[in-house]
Amino acid sequence: MITRESTSTLTCTPLARTFGAEVHGVDFSKPVSKETAAEIRDACNKYGVLVFRGANLNNEQQIEFTANFGEMYDVKAHMKAGRRMRFPHQPEIFDVSNLDENGNVLTELEPARVGANKGNCLWHADMAYNPRRAHYSILRAVELPPKGTGGATQYLDSRAAYDDLSEEMRRRIDSLVCNNSLYHNRKLAAPDTFADFEPSDLPMARHKLAQMHEESGRMNLYITTYAHHFDGETIGQSRPLVNELLDHVSQEKYLLTVEWENNGDMVMWDNTAVLHRATPGGAYTTKYKRDMRRTSTKDSSSYGWGVDPNATWEAGLRTTKE
Ligand code: OGA
Ligand code: MN
């Protein structure tokens, strides 16, 4: 158990047995200083997930806050692929709501978006399907659905899960390279919607399964539902181990559920140390608005580009115009 801890500005109250903390002491009414940002980064490297209640940032302030933690991702590739955005002038904002570009709750008339949101309900690390993966993500609640209709975000401690692997399993996975596909996750979540997508037709992002989390010096098990196959194996050959590792990492003892309490709450996590998902089966999904907005930074560690440092594609995104 990690005990409650204060640095000069932050107070971190642990949320689960091995990871996660609620953070107090940050004044979000003005831009955070470089010093405070450094403390937040250190805390995130340690706890993996940080919850900030009532941060109440707007899009612009969220982008400004995220810029403290590295080069930011944007949705320009998605826009090029034909997706209409609610905030085309703020491409750093990933719209992970259940709303269309006019702010209405998505219906079955938009199967690709509904399917993408279902994919978000499977365990993942952001942009693990990209050669350049995400490091930190920051998610903010703008409009939450009514209490009791679902919509929590869940996290897994994939560093603790690595620690608990047997010596034999560590040896077995040590050199494995996982080929990650966005569309593999989408097909798992919504097989009918993505029936005509063949993940193998698109480039896959190749990342090592067992990795050093450089900021903490701890190992991390980088297994997600984007995992399609391992180098040198077929999907069929890889499946048993992929499933065994996903079952291992998703045990209750590694789980943290973050309930969104109020609009304005914000959560920051380290995609290279934890997994996450939107909780599946929320009753709100096609009934009530859940307006969530995310920003993410690019991973600058030596694992940031996986094993393909010269890759030039992003997301394996198939354009709708193809
Ligand atoms: C994300 C994500 C989960 C949620 O923003 O990357 O996976 O609960 N969100 O909305
Ligand atoms: Mn995500």
Side-chain angles (χ1 to χ4, degrees):
M1 185 74 186
I2 312 168
T3 51
R4 190 186 174 97
E5 193 179 316
S6 272
T7 52
S8 54
T9 312
L10 312 185
T11 305
C12 296
T13 307
L15 292 172
R17 193 176 56 93
T18 59
F19 77 131
E22 190 164 306
V23 180
H24 295 273
V26 183
D27 179 2
F28 281 107
S29 69
K30 49 182 201 275
V32 303
S33 65
K34 291 277 167 272
E35 293 71 31
T36 301
E39 288 181 25
I40 292 171
R41 176 193 288 264
D42 287 348
C44 201
N45 291 339
K46 176 175 175 178
Y47 290 102
V49 181
L50 302 179
V51 178
F52 301 94
R53 298 289 176 196
N56 288 319
L57 301 187
N58 60 28
N59 282 4
E60 206 178 327
Q61 290 165 328
Q62 181 177 354
I63 292 167
E64 186 183 19
F65 176 64
T66 308
N68 285 299
F69 306 106
E71 187 189 344
M72 250 178 283
Y73 261 105
D74 62 50
V75 294
K76 286 178 191 153
H78 301 71
M79 286 164 77
K80 228 164 125 185
R83 181 162 157 202
R84 297 178 307 279
M85 295 291 170
R86 281 194 295 152
F87 319 104
H89 304 299
Q90 289 169 317
E92 296 88 355
I93 298 281
F94 283 72
D95 182 0
V96 290
S97 69
N98 62 343
L99 306 175
D100 66 19
E101 80 271 24
N102 301 315
N104 298 315
V105 174
L106 290 169
T107 67
E108 297 299 330
L109 295 174
E110 298 219 45
R113 282 285 312 281
V114 171
N117 284 356
K118 285 184 181 155
N120 245 3
C121 294
L122 302 180
W123 293 115
H124 65 280
D126 291 333
M127 272 71 104
Y129 53 79
N130 270 350
R132 183 81 190 273
R133 64 176 183 171
H135 192 179
Y136 302 105
S137 284
I138 292 164
L139 182 64
R140 135 182 168 255
V142 176
E143 184 174 349
L144 291 166
K147 294 226 161 40
T149 63
T153 304
Q154 296 188 308
Y155 296 89
L156 294 171
D157 188 345
S158 50
R159 286 181 298 186
Y162 181 94
D163 291 343
D164 292 343
L165 292 175
S166 66
E167 273 306 318
E168 188 194 346
M169 184 58 95
R170 288 186 195 185
R171 271 197 300 276
R172 188 169 163 206
I173 68 170
D174 183 54
S175 60
L176 286 183
V177 171
C178 205
N179 287 246
N180 294 336
S181 158
L182 174 64
Y183 290 104
H184 179 66
N185 158 288
R186 297 297 189 253
K187 279 178 86 91
L188 285 176
D192 294 342
T193 305
F194 296 99
D196 66 332
F197 281 72
E198 174 43 53
S200 310
D201 291 346
L202 298 160
M204 293 194 195
R206 296 167 63 236
H207 292 277
K208 284 201 71 182
L209 202 50
Q211 321 185 332
M212 170 67 72
H213 180 260
E214 291 169 349
E215 294 84 355
S216 64
R218 297 179 60 193
M219 289 298 290
N220 181 48
L221 179 61
Y222 198 59
I223 184 77
T224 70
T225 54
Y226 302 122
H228 183 269
H229 69 279
F230 299 120
D231 269 8
E233 294 184 9
T234 64
I235 180 169
Q237 289 166 330
S238 301
R239 204 70 346 228
L241 183 56
V242 166
N243 289 339
E244 184 179 344
L245 293 172
L246 283 170
D247 285 348
H248 170 69
V249 74
S250 56
Q251 293 176 81
E252 191 82 26
K253 61 184 170 183
Y254 306 125
L255 177 70
L256 166 65
T257 298
V258 173
E259 298 289 351
W260 297 91
E261 289 174 2
N262 294 297
N263 299 341
D265 285 356
M266 186 168 82
V267 180
M268 172 173 179
W269 65 88
D270 181 343
N271 289 287
T272 72
V274 305
L275 300 179
H276 68 282
R277 68 175 183 184
T279 308
Y284 71 88
T285 311
T286 53
K287 280 200 204 104
Y288 300 109
K289 293 183 182 186
R290 181 174 184 266
D291 187 350
M292 309 293 289
R293 303 179 198 173
R294 170 165 58 77
T295 42
S296 296
T297 66
K298 297 179 180 180
D299 182 15
S300 296
S301 80
S302 57
Y303 292 87
W305 283 95
V307 297
D308 289 319
N310 299 317
T312 52
W313 57 275
E314 192 180 313
L317 271 174
R318 197 164 80 162
T319 72
T320 52
K321 299 196 180 82
E322 265 171 12

